[in-house]
Amino acid sequence: MIVVTGATGNVGRSLVRILVGAGEPVTATSRSVAEAELPERVVRKAADLTDAESMRPVLDGADALFLQDGGPSAHRLDPAHLVDVAKAGGVRRIVLLSSQGVATRPGSASHGEVARSIEDAVRQSGLEWTVLRPGGFASNTYAWAESVRTTRTVTAPFGDVGLPVVDPDDIAAVAAVALRVSGQHIGQVYELTGPAVVTPRQQAAAIGAALGEPVRFIEQSRAEARAQMLRFMPEPVADTTLDILGEPNPAELRISPDTELFLGRAAETYAGWAERNAAAFR
């Protein structure tokens, strides 16, 4: 049995569908899993990663665990306790969704240090493990959905600075392989990116192409974007995010071959992601 944490998120939902389609028994968990649109055969168990004990009944009898890094709540996790609970439940393999920032922003409390502490707990667990380090998600642009729907505009900073954003469905497909296939992926760290650098201006154009209507791009200043971000994220997270978006370092611009290594095909483009998810912007 495979437990998928974060089952209501962009990666988790897709991973659950892939595993169920492959005939795997799956338990999906998140704080709000009861309301999620998931396949009928999935067992749903609500739990909170920040409360490791709440995971005990979820993990009892599990063979493998897809572990999210906690996202905005990562600093509230007790990674060592989570690993102990997983081991007590019978888990033999953990696939961890970590962050590219562990390698590219190691000194950042928000993007590197917390994720590193979770990675360390998994590596030292004595279990089989695989670590996935994606860069920025294509789905982060869902933040533009309302303005695209209402005014056909995208407002963002650094309009002509690009990053190789990754399709969450590709992350899920890679995770499914790592969870199910023994051998070569055990004890490995993989970086996941898209196949090409794409700028916010190009992303807006791709959304417009998917909709069949032009979408206008309006560039924000860094200060304007920061003020907007601070409404829903802590100051250190906002500042490091803006540093990455505005001045990516060479490691953040690198196109990783790891997705193709896993899946035997090229990583999905942002345009492909926009085409498949055009309904969100319509």
Side-chain angles (χ1 to χ4, degrees):
M1 187 260 285
I2 299 173
V3 171
V4 176
T5 66
T8 57
N10 290 308
V11 175
R13 284 197 311 272
S14 181
L15 176 57
V16 168
R17 289 194 299 269
I18 293 170
L19 292 173
V20 170
E24 298 287 352
V26 176
T27 293
T29 185
S30 74
R31 281 173 290 189
S32 58
V33 72
E35 296 82 31
E37 292 186 13
L38 296 170
E40 290 183 3
R41 287 186 288 145
V42 172
V43 175
R44 302 167 186 245
K45 292 186 179 181
D48 186 341
L49 281 176
T50 64
D51 176 8
E53 285 301 310
S54 75
M55 292 292 295
R56 201 172 289 278
V58 178
L59 291 166
D60 186 35
D63 300 299
L65 169 64
F66 176 72
L67 180 61
Q68 300 263 20
D69 69 358
S73 302
H75 64 285
R76 296 170 50 209
L77 267 60
D78 183 342
H81 193 180
L82 271 172
V83 167
D84 286 344
V85 169
K87 291 172 73 172
V91 169
R92 296 179 296 104
R93 179 180 303 177
I94 297 177
V95 174
L96 173 65
L97 181 62
S98 185
S99 168
Q100 185 187 57
V102 172
T104 64
R105 302 277 167 167
S108 164
S110 62
H111 286 65
E113 293 177 1
V114 173
R116 168 67 74 179
S117 71
I118 301 170
E119 284 193 15
D120 288 346
V122 170
R123 288 168 182 262
Q124 296 162 13
S125 66
L127 303 174
E128 297 178 351
W129 58 266
T130 306
V131 172
L132 308 180
R133 292 178 179 168
F137 288 17
S139 55
N140 289 346
T141 56
Y142 280 139
W144 302 338
E146 183 177 356
S147 67
V148 173
R149 286 195 300 263
T150 56
T151 63
R152 290 295 189 258
T153 60
V154 163
T155 303
F158 315 120
D160 298 307
V161 179
L163 287 166
V165 296
V166 59
D167 187 329
D169 285 355
D170 278 353
I171 301 171
V174 168
V177 174
L179 285 162
R180 301 179 66 232
V181 177
S182 297
Q184 68 191 79
H185 304 306
I186 302 304
Q188 300 297 317
V189 177
Y190 296 101
E191 186 174 277
L192 305 179
T193 71
V197 167
V198 58
T199 69
R201 196 182 305 276
Q202 290 169 331
Q203 289 172 326
I207 294 169
L211 295 174
E213 298 181 38
V215 171
R216 185 165 62 102
F217 182 82
I218 302 171
E219 185 150 6
Q220 286 178 307
S221 68
R222 179 181 175 120
E224 289 169 336
R226 185 175 188 271
Q228 187 174 5
M229 288 179 172
L230 289 178
R231 297 176 196 163
F232 57 90
M233 65 175 65
E235 198 168 329
V237 179
D239 288 336
T240 303
T241 299
L242 287 166
D243 289 345
I244 295 169
L245 295 175
E247 298 182 13
N249 60 42
E252 288 157 346
L253 292 170
R254 174 178 173 269
I255 308 300
S256 171
D258 289 349
T259 298
E260 187 165 358
L261 173 69
F262 264 86
L263 305 180
R265 61 166 175 80
E268 181 60 89
T269 64
Y270 180 83
W273 177 88
E275 184 71 31
R276 294 198 326 276
N277 294 278
F281 300 92
R282 202 172 298 285

